[in-house]
Amino acid sequence: MKRAVQQSTWTGRWVAERAGVALTGSERLPELVGLALRSGNPRRAHLLVSSVLGKHVPQRPAVVHGSGLELGRRVRELLGPEAAARAVVLGYAETATGLGHSVADGLDAPYLHSTRRPVPGIPPLGGFEEEHSHATGHLLLPSDPQLLGRDGPLVLVDDELSTGRTVLNTLRELHGRHPRDHYLVVTLVDLRSAEDRRRLAAAAAELGVRLDVVATASGGVALPEDIVARAERLIASVPPAAPPPAADPAPLVRVGLDWPAGLPDGGRHGFTARDRERLDAVLPALAGQLAEALEADVPDVEAPGAEVSVPAGAEVPVPAGAAAERVLVLGFEELMYAPLRLAEALAQRLGGDRVRYSTTTRSPVLAVDDPGYAIRTRLAFPAHDDPQDGSSRERYVYNVAPGADGVRRFDAVVLVVDDVADTPALHQGEYALLRQLRQVTGRVVLAVLPSHRPARPSSGRPSLPAPLYGPAFSSYRPEEVAWLLKDLSAVPLEAPTEEREEAVQNGGAHYAESLPVEYTPSPEYQELFHRALHGSAERIALAVGTVAETLLRERGPGLVLASLARAGTPVGILVRRWLAFAHGLDVPHYAVSIVRGRGIDRVALRYLAAHHRAADVVFVDGWTGKGAITRELTAALADTGFDPDLAVLADPGHCVRTYGTRDDFLIPSACLNSTVSGLVSRTVLRAGLIGPEDFHGAKHYAELAGGDVSEDFLAAVSARFGAVRSHAVEQAGRLAADPDRTPDWVGWAAVERISAEYGIDDVNLVKPGVGETTRVLLRRVPWRVLARRGVGADLDHVRLLAAQRGVPVEEVDELPYSCVGLIHPRYSRGATGASGRAVAAAPTVGRES
């Protein structure tokens, strides 16, 4: 069989010559790394591609494991026996998880690696950011929270040390939790500049710790000032690679490995010396099972390339001369170590120089079929592990497919994944990974390991409730939003407005214990809504884009959106759609309840903390009035780890620092109730219905589907995204450059002035802004509306509602809002104070003359 020719050309030459990138320092650097160009990463244009890591470039498994073992032994020698016995190793996801494992093997120390995969039921112990990466957020999920608290050196392992910023972020995060006096950074290549070295040394001195760096080779990367522009031009000049010629898919053999019960598949939750001993003991038998699957006689089947299963312990026929000459063991993203050790054992079993090892990756890299370029070929495929961390859903495997010469690189591929990733998306679809592998090799063996699910000490709490999804709950698509709510659709909670306010005024109810009556709006009002939407859709789209681009700049691509149900939920969906439209991001979005006077849903916060990093969660709402909910959110999130910075489309009250505009304009979703909010009610918090381990409740009004315009609103705004994209980016840039976006609360001051001027003794009777005024007219007992003189069509719906309810509209000057709604002081049963209960009405009302 014709085989690919071994190349001796440095695999960084293509980039070096065309982009002006150069390596300096150790002569070993070209042996350890090549160069490629990143795609879709504005932070860094070039990529150092390790030839010994086993990530992007298939390599002999003994070389990959040996590189880490050597570093681990050097660390052990540096520390001495006593300190080495107390050390713990922390590796970085995803690229260095296998390297960190190997260093821990050489040091004979317990191991943990960071992860980008949230694990249900395992709350993060902490996390940190990798600023230059395509996916920046790292979670720490040890099953034993004391693992990182060992009284000994902490060894941080990454494949390259380029600036040291990730190490700095890690030190700041972990030293505050588990201070120690000695840290070591271990890497294959140390490429820091002199300034980077000084920065890291200064940080160590500030913390009062010793910090050592151990590297296989050191040097630097010389970059031209215009490297990003050069890279963009080079990427644009490379024609897309031709797809491999169509062929019958190769056989797919699923092998059932005898993986020991309870043995972790990696270090996501920790890996101890005892785990290492157990794995070493079973590796020869596991390699034997893989060898049998590689050489098994595959029976004829009706469909070409149909899957054949080889159960654990099965006897399989092995035909003479059936052995694959060149075998690749392919790991899966963070799952690097177990596939590496299997590859090493398989290489020993098969003998010769037949086995190589690499893994799939999240990193998007340009492929150029040139001997002087590190990434020769690329297969892109949909993510198949249902990522919930906001990452892109496209994944990659490099240097596995044939190049332009059509020469097959491997006769067989052994794909090793965990059971979380063994989903239909792995098997089905034109671009599924298994389907593509079967087009480029002669046989594919699939080995699925059980993803380790550590037993957690009982906290005395029941398990968290599950979210609700449309169409069973709400008219939104299930991928648009997960409702952290309890379904109360079958419970009668509605009462006429005056009756609800009477009950609240009598002191026996809180406004969140009942619901206003929902109804299908009149044809006249629906027509007004559609006219308003047509006139404001582009303005709303601009505000959405500005908020989304601002969040992306300041919080990174690992965003998790948490909208304040229900008015914030359409906004959260729009921000999510923008991030998908403009950046290809698939961002998680949840709807949570907050109740004035009672705070945010604590069970929902626990759910978010169990599935995501608290620092990644952004709370979203539609608009601000005087800022009561902003203050409520800030108080509710104190000491929780969540960021209380609320993001809104419109902030006329100057209450938040993340906004699309501070103009008070009509957001048509304020015009309606459930029929523009996915047919979901206001949230409910009522004893007897909501227990201590329940989410807050809400109802789904499926019977109002005939008047539902929720998707109409979303579609009208989304359709304007393209028209406002450049403007939104510009506005976000201006906001980012603003040195002080601190709220000045001018709206709150205006409300206090209006309250005093109109003889109203509580600011909660004053609802400023077009959105809040609309709510007063729809579900309160309105007294009057103050409209800023000269405001026209933006208030047409307010004037219509006021006329229908017999409420006067008074035009006034010097109003910072378009309008202000005043709840009738005579019916202050509907107004609530800070406690959430009603306040007494003033004995006399009226405006002083």
Side-chain angles (χ1 to χ4, degrees):
M1 172 178 289
K2 185 177 179 182
R3 297 175 58 172
V5 178
Q6 186 73 27
Q7 298 289 343
S8 59
T9 302
W10 178 46
T11 57
R13 186 192 64 188
W14 192 93
V15 174
E17 292 177 350
R18 289 164 175 79
V21 178
L23 299 184
T24 61
S26 171
E27 293 181 356
R28 290 200 62 189
L29 283 178
E31 301 174 15
L32 297 173
V33 295
L35 294 172
L37 297 177
R38 299 173 184 263
S39 57
N41 188 334
R43 296 177 180 86
R44 185 179 293 181
H46 71 286
L47 176 71
L48 294 171
V49 181
S50 173
S51 59
V52 299
L53 187 65
K55 190 63 177 175
H56 304 86
V57 178
Q59 179 57 273
R60 292 192 300 274
V63 171
V64 178
H65 193 206
S67 298
L69 288 172
E70 177 189 357
L71 287 167
R73 291 166 186 148
R74 288 177 56 188
V75 171
R76 186 173 187 81
E77 181 179 350
L78 175 65
L79 290 176
E82 190 274 333
R86 295 183 291 110
V88 61
V89 179
L90 175 65
Y92 288 94
E94 66 177 61
T95 306
T97 58
L99 178 64
H101 257 294
S102 302
V103 170
D105 287 352
L107 181 57
D108 194 22
Y111 177 66
L112 175 75
H113 69 70
S114 66
T115 180
R116 293 189 176 113
R117 179 198 285 179
V119 177
I122 306 294
L125 179 67
F128 48 87
E129 294 295 315
E130 183 179 4
E131 296 170 7
H132 68 268
S133 176
H134 59 282
T136 62
H138 289 249
L139 304 174
L140 297 177
L141 305 177
S143 58
D144 178 6
Q146 299 306 312
L147 177 62
L148 292 177
R150 286 166 58 98
D151 182 23
L154 179 62
V155 182
L156 306 174
V157 181
D158 209 350
D159 59 305
E160 66 177 77
L161 190 58
S162 54
T163 64
R165 290 192 182 95
T166 304
V167 171
L168 281 175
N169 292 339
T170 311
L171 289 177
R172 291 177 179 133
E173 171 70 22
L174 296 183
H175 195 74
R177 295 174 178 267
H178 302 292
R180 65 191 77 228
D181 57 13
H182 194 182
Y183 294 87
L184 299 95
V185 180
V186 178
T187 184
L188 292 171
V189 291
D190 180 1
L191 301 171
R192 291 172 297 156
S193 67
E195 178 58 33
D196 293 329
R197 293 170 186 268
R198 285 192 292 270
R199 184 187 303 112
L200 193 56
E206 180 184 344
L207 294 174
V209 301
R210 175 184 172 186
L211 178 63
D212 293 312
V213 176
V214 178
T216 303
S218 299
V221 182
L223 300 171
E225 292 184 359
D226 61 343
I227 179 60
V228 173
R230 292 193 189 195
E232 289 177 350
R233 290 194 297 269
L234 284 172
I235 291 171
S237 70
V238 176
D248 288 340
L252 172 59
V253 180
R254 176 188 288 267
V255 59
L257 293 180
D258 290 320
W259 190 263
L263 176 63
D265 56 316
R268 181 178 287 114
H269 306 296
F271 199 86
T272 66
R274 174 57 182 155
D275 297 326
R276 191 176 299 116
E277 292 173 1
R278 293 185 67 197
L279 179 59
D280 288 343
V282 299
L283 278 173
L286 297 176
Q289 291 179 275
L290 292 178
E292 291 175 348
L294 284 167
E295 301 172 353
D297 187 13
V298 179
D300 291 333
V301 289
E302 292 183 5
E307 180 175 325
V308 177
S309 293
V310 179
E315 293 291 336
V316 294
V318 181
E325 188 177 355
R326 289 172 58 84
V327 178
L328 173 70
V329 177
L330 183 63
F332 159 62
E333 295 188 25
E334 294 174 8
L335 184 64
M336 296 185 69
Y337 181 69
L340 170 61
R341 298 302 309 281
L342 288 169
E344 194 173 25
L346 182 63
Q348 294 171 358
R349 168 81 180 218
L350 297 181
D353 189 25
R354 295 167 55 184
V355 178
R356 295 292 184 272
Y357 160 81
S358 66
T359 78
T360 67
T361 176
R362 298 182 177 205
S363 301
V365 187
L366 175 71
V368 178
D369 193 12
D370 186 284
Y373 190 84
I375 302 297
R376 302 287 297 274
T377 65
R378 169 173 116 159
L379 296 177
F381 55 93
H384 49 90
D385 61 339
D386 190 25
Q388 297 296 314
D389 59 351
S391 66
S392 167
R393 287 188 171 270
E394 191 169 69
R395 302 292 190 257
Y396 311 93
V397 58
Y398 297 113
N399 296 320
V400 174
D405 58 6
V407 175
R408 180 185 291 171
R409 292 174 179 267
F410 298 100
D411 304 306
V413 174
V414 178
L415 176 63
V416 183
V417 301
D418 61 12
D419 54 16
V420 174
D422 185 24
T423 64
L426 176 65
H427 299 257
Q428 301 170 7
E430 181 180 359
Y431 298 105
L433 175 57
L434 279 176
R435 177 167 293 190
Q436 293 199 69
L437 290 177
R438 293 167 71 184
Q439 292 289 331
V440 300
T441 190
R443 173 175 297 199
V444 176
V445 174
L446 175 62
V448 180
L449 305 183
S451 181
H452 185 51
R453 295 167 175 84
R456 300 183 63 219
S458 174
S459 64
R461 287 176 169 173
S463 59
L464 291 166
L468 302 172
Y469 298 90
F473 186 89
S474 89
S475 61
Y476 294 133
R477 297 195 300 269
E479 66 271 19
E480 300 265 39
V481 59
W483 300 87
L484 302 187
L485 295 173
K486 180 178 180 179
D487 190 355
L488 300 179
S489 299
V491 181
L493 292 167
E494 293 77 11
T497 300
E498 287 78 5
E499 184 178 320
R500 290 180 69 243
E501 296 182 352
E502 184 88 33
V504 174
Q505 173 62 17
N506 288 340
H510 184 281
Y511 80 88
E513 294 178 355
S514 61
L515 293 171
V517 176
E518 295 266 357
Y519 57 91
T520 300
S522 67
E524 180 185 17
Y525 191 78
Q526 289 190 51
E527 174 60 27
L528 192 148
F529 164 80
H530 285 289
R531 289 204 309 269
L533 178 58
H534 177 76
S536 62
E538 188 160 314
R539 193 175 185 183
I540 298 168
L542 177 58
V544 169
T546 302
V547 168
E549 295 293 335
T550 301
L551 291 175
L552 193 60
R553 280 172 174 264
E554 298 186 347
R555 303 290 288 273
L559 292 168
V560 177
L561 301 175
S563 60
L564 301 184
R566 69 183 167 183
T569 303
V571 178
I573 293 174
L574 286 169
V575 171
R576 182 181 183 276
R577 288 189 180 186
W578 179 282
L579 292 170
F581 154 78
H583 301 283
L585 296 176
D586 187 13
V587 175
H589 174 215
Y590 301 88
V592 302
S593 169
I594 187 169
V595 175
R596 183 160 46 84
R598 294 189 178 179
I600 200 164
D601 186 339
R602 309 299 291 190
V603 179
L605 287 187
R606 282 171 46 206
Y607 184 95
L608 292 172
H611 291 78
H612 305 281
R613 285 202 322 143
D616 290 334
V617 176
V618 178
F619 292 89
V620 177
D621 206 358
W623 58 86
T624 64
K626 57 182 172 288
I629 288 297
T630 307
R631 295 187 175 193
E632 188 80 41
L633 183 67
T634 301
L637 297 181
D639 302 321
T640 65
F642 290 94
D643 189 335
D645 183 20
L646 183 65
V648 301
L649 297 190
D651 179 36
H654 292 229
C655 310
V656 300
R657 65 181 304 276
T658 303
Y659 53 86
T661 179
R662 278 183 163 157
D663 295 338
D664 183 22
F665 77 101
L666 173 63
I667 300 174
S669 59
C671 294
L672 302 171
N673 287 326
S674 66
T675 51
V676 78
S677 302
L679 300 179
V680 174
S681 73
R682 293 185 57 178
T683 58
V684 174
L685 182 57
R686 176 167 155 182
L689 294 176
I690 307 300
E693 299 299 329
D694 289 333
F695 294 137
H696 292 185
K699 299 185 72 168
H700 173 209
Y701 293 116
E703 65 274 15
L704 299 180
D708 186 18
V709 293
S710 303
E711 179 56 34
D712 294 350
F713 172 68
L714 297 175
V717 176
S718 300
R720 294 346 191 256
F721 283 173
V724 302
R725 181 175 182 177
S726 60
H727 193 185
V729 172
E730 291 174 5
Q731 288 206 161
R734 284 195 291 270
L735 280 176
D738 188 345
D740 185 11
R741 297 181 352 238
T742 304
D744 58 18
W745 298 89
V746 295
W748 192 280
V751 167
E752 289 180 328
R753 175 178 57 78
I754 292 168
S755 179
E757 185 177 353
Y758 281 81
I760 301 172
D761 68 349
D762 191 273
V763 293
N764 286 303
L765 295 173
V766 182
K767 302 294 185 180
V770 63
E772 294 304 309
T773 301
T774 301
R775 288 177 164 187
V776 169
L777 293 167
L778 285 173
R779 60 187 189 221
R780 303 293 191 194
V781 179
W783 180 32
R784 66 182 66 189
V785 171
L786 309 182
R788 189 174 68 229
R789 197 179 312 278
V791 176
D794 274 356
L795 296 186
D796 283 352
H797 78 291
V798 169
R799 294 186 180 94
L800 175 62
L801 283 175
Q804 290 176 344
R805 300 201 64 180
V807 176
V809 177
E810 178 181 335
E811 291 200 350
V812 297
D813 296 311
E814 298 182 359
L815 195 64
Y817 300 92
S818 297
C819 59
V820 175
L822 305 182
I823 295 175
H824 205 307
R826 207 174 303 152
Y827 288 92
S828 62
R829 301 181 278 276
T832 55
S835 67
R837 295 195 173 276
V839 295
T844 60
V845 296
R847 186 179 180 184
E848 294 181 3
S849 57

